[in-house]
Amino acid sequence: MNMPDGALSDEPTRRRILELITAEGPVTAATLAQTLGLTAAGVRRHLGHLEESGAIIVHRPGSHKGATGRGRPARAFVVAPGRSGLPTNYRDLALNVLRHLQVDGGKSAVRRFAAAQYEDVVQRVGPTLTASDQVGRAQQLADALTADGFAATLRPVTATMVPITQLCQGHCPVRHVAAEFPELCEAEANAFSRLLGTHVQRLATIAGGAHACVTNIPLSLVSTNLEGTR
């Protein structure tokens, strides 16, 4: 049953809408209304406010989201780059540390640092991926990433020769650092590959200007050799 739009104050509601767009975007007003139990008109009012403030933008379909159908598609929204309102943590300190590291040791030193950071992720997250099926492990990885602040979800991909699921990260706490040091994104993708036992394909990153980090996981190619991740 739909709740009256005044049942929740504006700011908490808009915060929740922003969180949902961060995790699930691109998302339409109708989907948000159904999820939150509000009227579509009420949700559109909040979306208008968020759009006017620059927090969200209308999504322009990209190649990785699949083909559009007939007729005019409903407006779907994503978070504007850098405007999720979720914590970004130690951006300035991390940037300065990596800049000094690069001056002293070059790009190879940055790559070694990134690899070491994500080795810790592999060792910490690996034991939590206990599902026996491929999608289950990927979902457990998404849950672990969400707990770390990455707002991760799984989305199935249809009409492909190889069964694929997409790991979508709607928020990146280190996006400003990764924009200058993409070695972090490369190390993260390598960690995903090790944790899931398969080669993954990174399609887009927030640091690179996309609305989400999108990684293809080919389900039929997941290996059973997961030594070193537990």
Side-chain angles (χ1 to χ4, degrees):
M1 177 181 297
N2 285 349
M3 296 172 55
D5 292 337
L8 296 173
S9 64
D10 283 352
E11 285 306 316
T13 302
R14 287 172 186 161
R15 174 74 177 185
R16 180 57 179 149
I17 288 173
L18 191 57
E19 289 173 348
L20 286 170
I21 294 174
T22 298
E24 304 291 342
V27 62
T28 65
T31 298
L32 289 168
Q34 183 177 16
T35 301
L36 293 171
L38 298 173
T39 65
V43 168
R44 282 194 294 270
R45 178 173 64 85
H46 292 304
L47 289 172
H49 176 87
L50 291 169
E51 190 174 9
E52 288 177 5
S53 70
I56 63 174
I57 58 176
V58 176
H59 175 60
R60 308 300 178 190
S63 59
H64 70 272
K65 287 299 293 180
T68 59
R70 295 181 179 179
R72 184 178 179 180
R75 279 166 38 109
F77 296 88
V78 296
V79 173
R83 294 297 305 275
S84 72
L86 300 181
T88 54
N89 295 329
Y90 48 86
R91 179 185 70 187
D92 293 339
L93 175 61
L95 274 172
N96 287 333
V97 168
L98 286 173
R99 286 166 181 164
H100 282 288
L101 182 63
Q102 182 170 266
V103 169
D104 289 342
K107 284 288 188 182
S108 61
V110 176
R111 284 192 291 271
R112 288 194 298 272
F113 171 83
Q117 290 297 302
Y118 281 96
E119 177 63 29
D120 290 343
V121 173
V122 169
Q123 296 304 319
R124 174 172 58 84
V125 174
T128 71
L129 306 188
T130 57
S132 58
D133 64 293
Q134 300 164 356
V135 175
R137 288 180 64 86
Q139 183 60 61
Q140 288 173 333
L141 175 57
D143 292 342
L145 290 169
T146 295
D148 284 345
F150 289 87
T153 57
L154 286 187
R155 303 180 185 182
V157 178
T158 59
T160 58
M161 295 185 65
V162 176
I164 289 174
T165 190
Q166 280 185 347
L167 176 63
C168 299
Q169 296 158 260
H171 178 62
C172 178
V174 296
R175 67 173 297 271
H176 292 88
V177 180
E180 185 171 336
F181 296 97
E183 292 86 355
L184 293 172
C185 297
E186 296 166 6
E188 180 185 60
N190 182 60
F192 291 169
S193 180
R194 292 178 58 197
L195 286 165
L196 297 173
T198 185
H199 173 73
V200 301
Q201 181 184 17
R202 177 61 59 79
L203 300 183
T205 63
I206 295 173
H211 78 274
C213 297
V214 181
T215 305
N216 270 4
I217 302 170
L219 299 179
S220 64
L221 300 180
V222 173
S223 169
T224 58
N225 182 13
L226 299 170
E227 295 181 2
T229 66
R230 299 185 179 181

